[in-house]
Amino acid sequence: MSKEIKNLKEYSKAAERFEGAHLLCPGCAHSMIVREAINATDSELVISSGTGCLEVSTAVYPYTSWDVPWIHIGFENASTAVAGAEAMYKALKRKNRLYQPERDVKFLAISGDGATYDIGFQFISGCFERGHDMMYICLDNEVYANTGGQRSSSTPIGASTTTSPSGRVSYGKKEKKKDIVQIMAAHGSPYVAQVAPNKWKDMVKKLKKGFDAGGPVFINAMSACTTEWKFDPSDTIDVSDVAVDALVFPLYEIENGTKLTITYRPKNVLPIKDYLGLQGRFKHLMKKENAHIVEQWQKDVDAKWEYLQRREEAGV
Amino acid sequence: MELRGWDEFEIGSVLFSFNEKVENIPNVQQEDRSYSENNSFQASVAHWRVEKPIFNVDHCIDCFFCWIYCPDSSILAREKEVEKKGEKIMEQSMVGIDYVHCKGCGVCSSVCPTDPKSLLMVDEHDEEERVLANWPKKEGKEK
């Protein structure tokens, strides 16, 4: 059963099922998202993680940080691992052979953006086509942070990473970010949403909808990375706030592949320059010769926001 | 703890989080569970810290922003006896910080909305009594 959470006082009664002393960086948004997701439900969970920061830091031999059944198989197949478990559960249920049929179990896969946007993409696509009753959460920190900060297809234009460094000849990554939310919605999945950990209420609402959807659900969670985005660990929430308010990560949901709803409209929309200025990976974009990148990006963000609003209005 | 090498494990080995079965985990608090030696709850990351948060209960309004945003599950929120209108009732409150699992990132202090803050980051070796005695005064809104 996913529970109704009205305020943080109620929320904080949840007993942790994700323990401390994992080895994620101080101020990492990954663990905030995982905590928020796990504490948002009273159901028992079966979780699989794809390779990435979360997986390597929460299962360092001889310790595990998970108080739920958790598995890691490979970089690409967090989705199929959990889909297999779900298929078995369904089959046993149908044959009336469940060991404890009264238990309410949800299936959850959590991976980073590298494992979702690039390496595991065909597996996820397959899972969504087969229609497993599972939720997939992508922790989108826009870089392969675990292996030292290589560009992924989630990295936005202009970001300096170790494989797309900025310097005399280059302004960083030259390609734009892939729009995974729209791609997943195109699968016709019952529920697809974009969330941010700093807007916990919005996130809890979406997770509840997702857990109750009864089909493959995709959640793209923005995860600010103190190490690779290069900001102070204590600023994680501030940076996330600015990212949402500058509409770089608009919060919206798509139901049944078509019905788009914007769930958060910032009161004061910030210019994208405020967002870029907070992060070391965009430091070079503040120079005069790179001003056209910022300008273009601002135009793209505005156009995307316009597009989302129009789609919401049209309801298609 | 005796550690086995990678070639000494059987295929399909599992690390158990608890020594015995815990019924209804989402509603059993950490102090009531029997953790196995393989649970990271038994480990410590206290040596990562350069600065530690100090909690001042006098200014806290129990908004739980620190609880929701703590990446290391180190803000302890529990039922506590409080006095309200002369009556003693049990209420969910912020009770303290888990210094074994806190890495000192400072997110809790930065999201604290009270004035003055109820959580401050201080040097790891500072004494709690000294910090609490010298807590900053109310600043008021900047004009």
Side-chain angles (χ1 to χ4, degrees), chain A residues 182 185 252-261 307-316:
Chain A
Q182 303 281 355
Y252 62 99
E253 57 186 20
I254 303 174
E255 284 161 272
N256 300 320
T258 48
K259 191 175 172 289
L260 189 148
T261 319
Y307 167 77
L308 292 176
Q309 280 179 318
R310 280 204 191 175
R311 263 198 67 180
E312 187 186 28
E313 226 169 88
V316 288

Side-chain angles (χ1 to χ4, degrees), chain B residues 22 41 62 68 78 92-93 115 131:
Chain B
V22 183
F41 188 77
D62 285 331
I68 186 81
R78 297 284 188 273
Q92 184 76 0
S93 325
D115 179 17
V131 178

